[in-house]
Amino acid sequence: MPKDRWQILPHCASEADNLDIIVTCDGASSVGQVGNEVAIKLTKEHESARMCCLSAIAAGSKVHQDIAKKARKLIVINGCQLECASKIIRNNGIEPTYEITIAKEGIEKAPTLDFDDEDVERIANKITQEVLKK
Ligand code: SF4
């Protein structure tokens, strides 16, 4: 996509308290990639929702830890039952507003980066109904 058509997102560090912040494990498996694609879709479709860098939180970036703490809502997306994203958040003393684990939503964890777009649509709708619209 040409740069002049990029969707510029709100600045997460300065606007966190007005944003629903989404973090995802982005795991290297079907379910990890469904979670990442869901986070992208929600970020693109909801003006006040935005992905934030989970790796930066895990790496000890205070700026990113503060974004997660200050967020209006903090939505955590895990690929599988290991729930790495939730563990990173809690290890930083932060309680998520909402958590979801893709492998518990009827989607098989497979060693592939491919996924079904219908699964992404279904999970994105579920998160929208259960937390973003509330
Ligand atoms: S929660 Fe599962 S899919 Fe996500 S990073 Fe951890 S092991 Fe990988």
Side-chain angles (χ1 to χ4, degrees):
M1 184 188 292
K3 199 172 177 184
D4 61 358
R5 289 179 51 209
W6 286 0
Q7 177 187 6
I8 304 303
L9 303 173
H11 188 245
C12 47
S14 58
E15 295 183 39
D17 45 4
N18 294 316
L19 293 171
D20 297 334
I21 293 291
I22 305 165
V23 294
T24 172
C25 73
D26 190 17
S29 63
S30 55
V31 287
Q33 293 305 298
V34 167
N36 197 55
E37 197 65 22
V38 166
I40 292 170
K41 183 174 171 60
L42 294 174
T43 299
K44 287 185 174 290
E45 293 180 356
H46 296 265
E47 241 174 58
S48 62
R50 191 203 197 289
M51 289 172 79
C52 180
C53 307
L54 182 65
S55 302
I57 297 171
S61 162
K62 186 164 181 331
V63 170
H64 291 83
Q65 290 165 348
D66 284 348
I67 290 166
K69 281 178 192 160
K70 284 194 259 169
R72 184 171 67 182
K73 294 175 185 166
L74 178 62
I75 298 158
V76 178
I77 305 177
N78 299 289
C80 74
Q81 286 88 340
L82 283 180
E83 300 186 334
C84 301
S86 292
K87 285 174 186 162
I88 290 168
I89 290 299
R90 289 210 169 81
N91 286 347
N92 280 278
I94 306 165
E95 194 55 34
T97 311
Y98 178 92
E99 296 165 272
I100 189 165
T101 298
I102 304 299
K104 293 181 182 171
E105 299 295 325
I107 301 169
E108 183 191 358
K109 183 179 184 185
T112 174
L113 302 182
D114 295 332
F115 52 81
D116 187 335
D117 290 339
E118 286 177 16
D119 288 333
V120 172
E121 188 76 29
R122 176 167 63 83
I123 303 293
N125 285 341
K126 180 180 167 88
I127 295 174
T128 298
Q129 295 306 322
E130 292 186 356
V131 62
L132 289 179
K133 278 199 173 168
K134 285 198 172 166

